[in-house]
Amino acid sequence: MLYAIISEDVANSLERRMSARPAHLARVETLRDEGRLVLAGPHPAVDTENPGDAGFTGSLIVAEFDSLEAAKSWADADPYIIAGVYAKVIVKPFKKVLP
């Protein structure tokens, strides 16, 4: 089943985010390589794809996991959690309707 992992950053997270980004991306790329990733990306803090020093306010990942518990466990081990980037993470089932 698909699950949405919706994360909110702490204030001024950009430096922490950039430091942990290679490890974070490696995990997401593994999901992609396994054919389990639907989409992933950050939420820019301002209305542009490249927010510069404004940074990001969080992230969204939609991917396939065996269960809600497995999705939560995967999310809990994210390098962004360990680096203190995320203030809050919500994991919930997701039903893709379109496209």
Side-chain angles (χ1 to χ4, degrees):
M1 179 163 186
L2 295 178
Y3 295 89
I5 302 170
I6 307 155
S7 308
E8 292 181 21
D9 282 21
V10 299
N12 303 310
S13 64
L14 188 57
E15 186 176 324
R16 292 180 196 172
R17 185 180 263 274
M18 292 298 103
S19 175
R21 187 171 189 261
H24 168 79
L25 285 179
R27 293 180 82 239
V28 176
E29 289 167 350
T30 297
L31 289 176
R32 179 200 61 203
D33 295 347
E34 294 172 350
R36 298 169 45 202
L37 182 66
V38 174
L39 64 89
H43 301 285
V46 293
D47 193 13
T48 181
E49 285 190 30
N50 299 306
D53 290 340
F56 301 92
T57 62
S59 302
L60 171 65
I61 295 172
V62 177
E64 183 179 343
F65 292 91
D66 290 336
S67 66
L68 179 58
E69 294 76 24
K72 286 181 179 179
S73 178
W74 187 90
D76 287 344
D78 194 304
Y80 281 172
I81 293 271
I82 296 161
V85 173
Y86 291 152
K88 178 180 179 183
V89 177
I90 297 170
V91 180
K92 56 186 174 178
F94 180 82
K95 180 181 175 183
K96 182 178 176 185
V97 175
L98 294 171

CSV table of all heavy atoms in Angstrom, one decimal, residues 2-7 61 63 65 67-76 81 88-94:
chain,number,residue,atom,x,y,z
A,2,LEU,N,0.3,2.3,-0.5
A,2,LEU,CA,1.0,3.6,-0.5
A,2,LEU,C,0.8,4.3,0.8
A,2,LEU,O,-0.2,4.2,1.4
A,2,LEU,CB,0.6,4.5,-1.6
A,2,LEU,CG,0.9,4.0,-3.0
A,2,LEU,CD1,0.3,5.0,-4.1
A,2,LEU,CD2,2.4,3.8,-3.2
A,3,TYR,N,1.9,5.1,1.2
A,3,TYR,CA,1.8,5.9,2.5
A,3,TYR,C,2.4,7.3,2.2
A,3,TYR,O,3.4,7.4,1.4
A,3,TYR,CB,2.6,5.2,3.6
A,3,TYR,CG,1.9,3.9,4.0
A,3,TYR,CD1,2.3,2.7,3.4
A,3,TYR,CD2,0.9,3.9,5.0
A,3,TYR,CE1,1.6,1.6,3.7
A,3,TYR,CE2,0.3,2.7,5.3
A,3,TYR,CZ,0.6,1.6,4.7
A,3,TYR,OH,0.0,0.4,5.0
A,4,ALA,N,1.8,8.3,2.7
A,4,ALA,CA,2.3,9.7,2.6
A,4,ALA,C,3.1,9.9,3.9
A,4,ALA,O,2.6,9.7,5.0
A,4,ALA,CB,1.2,10.7,2.5
A,5,ILE,N,4.3,10.4,3.8
A,5,ILE,CA,5.2,10.8,4.9
A,5,ILE,C,5.3,12.4,4.8
A,5,ILE,O,5.9,12.9,3.8
A,5,ILE,CB,6.5,10.2,4.8
A,5,ILE,CG1,6.4,8.6,4.9
A,5,ILE,CG2,7.4,10.6,6.0
A,5,ILE,CD1,7.6,7.8,4.6
A,6,ILE,N,4.6,13.1,5.7
A,6,ILE,CA,4.5,14.5,5.6
A,6,ILE,C,5.3,15.1,6.8
A,6,ILE,O,4.9,14.8,7.9
A,6,ILE,CB,3.0,14.9,5.7
A,6,ILE,CG1,2.2,14.2,4.6
A,6,ILE,CG2,2.9,16.5,5.6
A,6,ILE,CD1,0.7,14.1,4.9
A,7,SER,N,6.3,15.8,6.4
A,7,SER,CA,7.2,16.3,7.5
A,7,SER,C,7.3,17.8,7.5
A,7,SER,O,7.2,18.5,6.5
A,7,SER,CB,8.7,15.8,7.2
A,7,SER,OG,8.7,14.4,7.0
A,61,ILE,N,6.9,12.7,1.0
A,61,ILE,CA,7.3,11.4,0.3
A,61,ILE,C,6.1,10.6,0.2
A,61,ILE,O,5.4,10.4,1.2
A,61,ILE,CB,8.4,10.7,1.1
A,61,ILE,CG1,9.7,11.5,1.1
A,61,ILE,CG2,8.7,9.3,0.5
A,61,ILE,CD1,10.8,10.9,2.0
A,63,ALA,N,5.3,6.7,-0.9
A,63,ALA,CA,6.0,5.5,-1.3
A,63,ALA,C,5.2,4.3,-0.8
A,63,ALA,O,4.3,4.4,0.0
A,63,ALA,CB,7.4,5.5,-0.7
A,65,PHE,N,4.9,0.8,1.1
A,65,PHE,CA,5.5,0.0,2.2
A,65,PHE,C,4.5,-1.2,2.5
A,65,PHE,O,3.4,-1.1,2.1
A,65,PHE,CB,5.6,0.9,3.5
A,65,PHE,CG,6.6,2.0,3.3
A,65,PHE,CD1,6.3,3.2,2.9
A,65,PHE,CD2,8.0,1.7,3.7
A,65,PHE,CE1,7.3,4.2,2.7
A,65,PHE,CE2,8.9,2.7,3.6
A,65,PHE,CZ,8.6,4.0,3.1
A,67,SER,N,3.3,-2.0,5.4
A,67,SER,CA,2.3,-1.7,6.4
A,67,SER,C,2.5,-0.3,6.9
A,67,SER,O,3.6,0.3,6.6
A,67,SER,CB,2.4,-2.7,7.6
A,67,SER,OG,3.7,-2.5,8.2
A,68,LEU,N,1.6,0.2,7.6
A,68,LEU,CA,1.7,1.6,8.3
A,68,LEU,C,2.9,1.5,9.2
A,68,LEU,O,3.7,2.5,9.3
A,68,LEU,CB,0.4,1.9,9.0
A,68,LEU,CG,0.4,3.3,9.7
A,68,LEU,CD1,0.7,4.4,8.8
A,68,LEU,CD2,-0.9,3.5,10.4
A,69,GLU,N,3.1,0.5,10.0
A,69,GLU,CA,4.2,0.3,10.9
A,69,GLU,C,5.5,0.4,10.2
A,69,GLU,O,6.5,1.0,10.7
A,69,GLU,CB,4.1,-0.9,11.7
A,69,GLU,CG,2.9,-1.0,12.7
A,69,GLU,CD,1.5,-1.2,12.0
A,69,GLU,OE1,1.5,-1.8,10.9
A,69,GLU,OE2,0.5,-0.8,12.5
A,70,ALA,N,5.6,-0.3,9.0
A,70,ALA,CA,6.9,-0.3,8.3
A,70,ALA,C,7.2,1.1,7.7
A,70,ALA,O,8.3,1.6,7.7
A,70,ALA,CB,6.8,-1.3,7.1
A,71,ALA,N,6.1,1.8,7.3
A,71,ALA,CA,6.3,3.2,6.8
A,71,ALA,C,6.8,4.1,8.0
A,71,ALA,O,7.7,4.9,7.8
A,71,ALA,CB,5.0,3.7,6.2
A,72,LYS,N,6.2,4.0,9.1
A,72,LYS,CA,6.5,4.8,10.3
A,72,LYS,C,8.0,4.5,10.7
A,72,LYS,O,8.7,5.4,11.0
A,72,LYS,CB,5.6,4.6,11.4
A,72,LYS,CG,4.3,5.2,11.3
A,72,LYS,CD,3.4,5.0,12.5
A,72,LYS,CE,2.0,5.7,12.3
A,72,LYS,NZ,1.1,5.5,13.5
A,73,SER,N,8.3,3.2,10.7
A,73,SER,CA,9.7,2.8,11.1
A,73,SER,C,10.7,3.4,10.1
A,73,SER,O,11.8,3.9,10.5
A,73,SER,CB,9.8,1.3,11.1
A,73,SER,OG,11.1,0.9,11.4
A,74,TRP,N,10.4,3.4,8.8
A,74,TRP,CA,11.3,3.9,7.8
A,74,TRP,C,11.4,5.5,8.0
A,74,TRP,O,12.5,6.0,8.0
A,74,TRP,CB,10.8,3.6,6.4
A,74,TRP,CG,11.7,4.0,5.3
A,74,TRP,CD1,12.7,3.3,4.8
A,74,TRP,CD2,11.8,5.3,4.7
A,74,TRP,NE1,13.4,4.0,3.8
A,74,TRP,CE2,12.8,5.3,3.7
A,74,TRP,CE3,11.1,6.5,4.8
A,74,TRP,CZ2,13.2,6.3,2.9
A,74,TRP,CZ3,11.4,7.6,4.0
A,74,TRP,CH2,12.5,7.5,3.1
A,75,ALA,N,10.3,6.1,8.3
A,75,ALA,CA,10.3,7.6,8.5
A,75,ALA,C,11.1,7.9,9.7
A,75,ALA,O,11.9,8.9,9.7
A,75,ALA,CB,8.9,8.1,8.5
A,76,ASP,N,11.0,7.2,10.8
A,76,ASP,CA,11.7,7.4,12.1
A,76,ASP,C,13.2,7.3,11.9
A,76,ASP,O,13.9,8.0,12.7
A,76,ASP,CB,11.2,6.5,13.1
A,76,ASP,CG,9.8,6.8,13.6
A,76,ASP,OD1,9.3,7.9,13.4
A,76,ASP,OD2,9.2,5.9,14.3
A,81,ILE,N,15.6,13.4,10.6
A,81,ILE,CA,15.1,13.2,12.0
A,81,ILE,C,16.3,13.3,12.9
A,81,ILE,O,16.4,14.0,13.9
A,81,ILE,CB,14.4,11.9,12.2
A,81,ILE,CG1,13.1,11.9,11.5
A,81,ILE,CG2,14.2,11.6,13.7
A,81,ILE,CD1,11.9,12.4,12.2
A,88,LYS,N,8.1,17.7,13.1
A,88,LYS,CA,7.0,16.8,13.2
A,88,LYS,C,6.9,16.0,11.9
A,88,LYS,O,7.2,16.5,10.8
A,88,LYS,CB,5.7,17.7,13.3
A,88,LYS,CG,4.4,17.0,13.3
A,88,LYS,CD,3.3,18.0,13.4
A,88,LYS,CE,1.9,17.4,13.4
A,88,LYS,NZ,0.8,18.4,13.4
A,89,VAL,N,6.5,14.7,12.1
A,89,VAL,CA,6.4,13.8,10.9
A,89,VAL,C,5.0,13.1,11.1
A,89,VAL,O,4.8,12.5,12.1
A,89,VAL,CB,7.5,12.8,10.8
A,89,VAL,CG1,7.3,11.8,9.7
A,89,VAL,CG2,8.8,13.5,10.7
A,90,ILE,N,4.2,13.1,10.0
A,90,ILE,CA,3.0,12.4,10.0
A,90,ILE,C,3.1,11.3,8.9
A,90,ILE,O,3.5,11.6,7.8
A,90,ILE,CB,1.8,13.3,9.7
A,90,ILE,CG1,1.6,14.4,10.8
A,90,ILE,CG2,0.5,12.6,9.5
A,90,ILE,CD1,0.6,15.5,10.4
A,91,VAL,N,2.7,10.1,9.2
A,91,VAL,CA,2.7,9.0,8.2
A,91,VAL,C,1.3,8.5,8.2
A,91,VAL,O,0.7,8.1,9.2
A,91,VAL,CB,3.7,7.9,8.6
A,91,VAL,CG1,3.6,6.8,7.6
A,91,VAL,CG2,5.1,8.5,8.8
A,92,LYS,N,0.7,8.5,7.0
A,92,LYS,CA,-0.7,7.9,6.9
A,92,LYS,C,-0.9,7.3,5.5
A,92,LYS,O,-0.2,7.6,4.6
A,92,LYS,CB,-1.7,9.0,7.1
A,92,LYS,CG,-1.6,10.2,6.3
A,92,LYS,CD,-2.6,11.2,6.8
A,92,LYS,CE,-2.5,12.6,6.1
A,92,LYS,NZ,-3.6,13.5,6.6
A,93,PRO,N,-1.8,6.3,5.5
A,93,PRO,CA,-2.1,5.7,4.2
A,93,PRO,C,-2.5,6.7,3.1
A,93,PRO,O,-3.1,7.8,3.4
A,93,PRO,CB,-3.3,4.8,4.5
A,93,PRO,CG,-3.2,4.6,6.0
A,93,PRO,CD,-2.7,5.8,6.5
A,94,PHE,N,-2.2,6.4,1.9
A,94,PHE,CA,-2.5,7.2,0.7
A,94,PHE,C,-3.0,6.4,-0.4
A,94,PHE,O,-2.5,5.3,-0.7
A,94,PHE,CB,-1.1,7.9,0.3
A,94,PHE,CG,-1.3,8.8,-0.9
A,94,PHE,CD1,-1.8,10.1,-0.7
A,94,PHE,CD2,-1.0,8.4,-2.2
A,94,PHE,CE1,-1.9,11.0,-1.8
A,94,PHE,CE2,-1.2,9.2,-3.3
A,94,PHE,CZ,-1.6,10.6,-3.1
